[in-house]
Amino acid sequence: MNIELIQIPKVEDYRGNLGIIEKQTIPFEIKRVYYLFDVPSSASRGGHAHKEQQAFLIALSGSFDVLLDDGNEKKVVTLNKPDKGLLIPTYVWRELGNFSSGAVCLVISSGEFDEEDYIREYEDFKKHISI
């Protein structure tokens, strides 16, 4: 599966650490940034794939699981460190769940919101990847 955990550069200091995301950190130009918070532990987010957009997910606080599916392989990645990010390429189904109390998921995207870029039904996703 073509996903990648990327180490986020950090500056360590006795006053606290500083994580740095610049153009060298992720392989795309940043077009949109949003975050998920106050997600109940029983809820799930995501449940889609993108045709063109890539995403970079970071657990700024707490932890959550990311179920990834490229049509050939399924994998669960737990994000729980603010200095590691998960790069998700196009045509990878993702579902986020098992949010800890106080978890915050930062999402950095290669594109602005475009409903046409989303594949929201799993059966449609399977059709897209079989092409």
Side-chain angles (χ1 to χ4, degrees):
M1 181 175 302
N2 191 20
I3 59 132
E4 186 178 352
L5 271 175
I6 296 175
Q7 182 70 41
I8 296 168
K10 66 180 174 182
V11 176
E12 296 183 77
D13 190 292
Y14 71 92
R15 301 168 296 170
N17 297 332
L18 175 71
I20 302 165
I21 298 173
E22 297 177 318
K23 61 183 175 184
Q24 305 92 319
T25 310
I26 52 179
F28 57 78
E29 182 181 350
I30 297 168
K31 298 284 183 125
R32 182 166 67 130
V33 177
Y34 60 95
Y35 52 95
L36 307 170
F37 63 101
D38 291 341
V39 179
S41 60
S42 61
S44 65
R45 299 294 311 227
H48 65 268
H50 286 282
K51 300 172 192 171
E52 296 185 19
Q53 290 184 32
Q54 298 179 69
F56 188 64
L57 280 60
I58 306 163
L60 291 181
S61 179
S63 65
F64 53 90
D65 293 335
V66 184
L67 168 69
L68 301 157
D69 179 352
D70 68 358
N72 295 313
E73 179 184 358
K74 291 183 181 184
K75 179 186 268 187
V76 175
V77 175
T78 299
L79 293 178
N80 59 8
K81 295 184 174 152
D83 64 344
K84 290 218 188 311
L86 177 66
L87 180 63
I88 304 175
T90 58
Y91 290 101
V92 174
W93 186 266
R94 81 285 318 265
E95 296 177 20
L96 285 65
N98 196 27
F99 284 83
S100 70
S101 177
V104 177
C105 171
L106 178 70
V107 181
I108 300 172
S109 178
S110 66
E112 295 177 0
F113 178 80
D114 178 4
E115 185 60 38
E116 294 297 313
D117 186 54
Y118 282 77
I119 305 169
R120 296 198 182 266
E121 298 295 328
Y122 188 73
E123 291 304 314
D124 291 341
F125 168 71
K126 291 194 308 189
K127 289 176 190 171
H128 273 89
I129 59 172
S130 66
I131 295 172

